Amino acid sequence: MSALALSVVLSLVSAVAYAGGAILQERVAATTPDQYAPLRRGAWWTAIALNGLGALLHVVALAYGPLSLVQPLGALTIVFALPMAALFVRRRAGATAWRGALMATVGLAGLLSLTSTSDSQTLADAERVMLGLVTGGGVAVLTLAAHAVHRHPVVRSVLLACAAGAAFGIASVFTKTVAVDWDHRVGLVEQLPTLGAIAVLAAAGLLLSQASYRGAGLAAPLSTVTVVNPVVAAAVGLTLFGESFRHGATGTVLALGSGVVAACGLILLTTERIAREAATLTTAAEAGPVARGGPSTPQPDAAETAAEAGGAPCPCPTDALPAVPSQQPAPPHRRTRPRQPRRRERMVS
């Protein structure tokens, strides 16, 4: 097997592992009150293992194949997750969710395929500090905004997924800098701050992605994380690593169009989920009085119905029931003196 074919196989298996981890995370989020770290759930640890396997396979695939091929294949996570969820957990997605997921995948694949890589570069210490502070502030703002809109689960989920994708993307950027520094024989002690930043960002992304699945299903948060992660990394590559788009101005226009397609797919997924929640709440509100045994609408009398319809009144006799005898008022009570017993007179003879 050639190196290119091996990288393709590893990328596909990595996407399947990511999809399996996402499905388990969504199921854990739907069945546990802990939204960030359900440490007592074995399924959650299985999801962590699958995500770790997917990340490892993705790194190995990058070692055997070009970035322009491996990164777009990673977007297939969304395409694999929907049929896997329908097969294993009976969670089927509608036609609108499928269209949104495919649009997000195609747009992301087009955007990544147009990004050209440059020579291996690293970040200066000041650039790393600035990037870490900006990322931490952005993740904090998105998290606070998500908690502020907690009454809208889908919007909250998308905001948390954006924060998770940003954390994962910058963690990938720092991972690349560590790899370049390792090739340049930089000591391990000097890389400890960057390694610590990678650990913090990866843990934050994991916890935020777990929270994003609560109350929003699978497609919307998974698509958001899958799109935001490489887009953030590509943006840093374009601004700090000297990367650019292929084919000059034409490639730039095509890349912007691909970004618009991916964004429209995410918007379609979000609005589809919001519409589904609104329909569910409307149905529950209509069925609420009946389920609680609430008051029913009074039915009109038969005679009134016939009179309104222009027909003859009901021939039912009005004296079908016995009349209730009228009660005469009681006479006023007179006070009487108590009768004393007569004394027996003694007969005098």
Side-chain angles (χ1 to χ4, degrees):
M1 182 181 293
S2 63
L4 184 62
L6 181 60
S7 66
V8 171
V9 172
L10 291 175
S11 298
L12 294 177
V13 178
S14 172
V16 172
Y18 277 131
I23 292 171
L24 287 179
Q25 282 185 281
E26 192 273 334
R27 296 305 299 166
V28 170
T31 57
T32 183
D34 193 349
Q35 60 178 350
Y36 284 104
L39 301 178
R40 298 182 180 181
R41 296 294 300 274
W44 187 71
W45 289 106
T46 305
I48 301 304
L50 287 173
N51 287 326
L53 177 62
L56 178 61
L57 293 175
H58 183 74
V59 172
V60 176
L62 287 174
Y64 285 97
L67 180 66
S68 59
L69 175 66
V70 175
Q71 285 291 91
L73 288 177
L76 292 176
T77 300
I78 312 171
V79 180
F80 289 151
L82 296 183
M84 287 173 62
L87 179 63
F88 293 110
V89 296
R90 301 295 187 268
R91 181 67 63 88
R92 297 183 179 181
T96 305
W98 270 105
R99 286 196 296 269
L102 290 177
M103 287 178 62
T105 303
V106 171
L108 178 60
L111 180 64
L112 295 177
S113 63
L114 292 169
T115 304
S116 63
T117 58
S118 60
D119 295 335
S120 298
Q121 298 182 11
T122 186
L123 295 175
D125 293 339
E127 292 176 333
R128 298 185 191 190
V129 172
M130 180 195 66
L131 187 59
L133 292 177
V134 171
T135 304
V139 169
V141 169
L142 289 172
T143 304
L144 292 176
H147 283 282
V149 296
H150 63 278
R151 295 183 178 180
H152 305 281
V154 180
V155 179
R156 168 188 167 277
S157 170
V158 170
L159 291 174
L160 289 175
C162 288
F168 283 136
I170 302 302
S172 299
V173 171
F174 284 155
T175 302
K176 181 178 181 179
T177 59
V178 169
V180 173
D181 290 343
W182 186 265
D183 292 337
H184 293 169
R185 305 299 180 182
V186 178
L188 181 61
V189 177
E190 298 179 9
Q191 297 186 18
L192 286 179
T194 306
L195 292 174
I198 293 173
V200 171
L201 290 172
L206 178 63
L207 298 179
L208 290 170
S209 65
Q210 176 63 50
S212 69
Y213 288 109
R214 176 172 295 276
L218 177 66
L222 176 60
S223 301
T224 304
V225 172
T226 306
V227 170
V228 172
N229 179 358
V231 166
V232 169
V236 174
L238 292 172
T239 55
L240 297 180
F241 287 115
E243 297 179 353
S244 62
F245 292 113
R246 293 185 176 93
H247 313 299
T250 303
T252 303
V253 172
L254 292 176
L256 292 176
S258 299
V260 171
V261 171
C264 290
L266 294 180
I267 294 173
L268 190 61
L269 283 168
T270 304
T271 54
E272 185 268 343
R273 187 70 190 185
I274 292 175
R276 183 183 300 181
E277 282 193 352
T280 303
L281 291 176
T282 302
T283 304
E286 292 177 352
V290 178
R292 294 190 298 266
S296 58
T297 304
Q299 299 296 329
D301 184 70
E304 295 177 0
T305 306
E308 292 177 359
C314 178
C316 301
T318 57
D319 55 349
L321 295 177
V324 179
S326 59
Q327 296 181 357
Q328 298 295 333
H333 181 70
R334 297 179 179 178
R335 292 186 59 184
T336 58
R337 296 178 62 182
R339 298 178 62 183
Q340 298 293 333
R342 295 181 178 179
R343 297 181 179 178
R344 297 180 63 181
E345 297 179 0
R346 297 181 59 183
M347 299 297 295
V348 180
S349 59

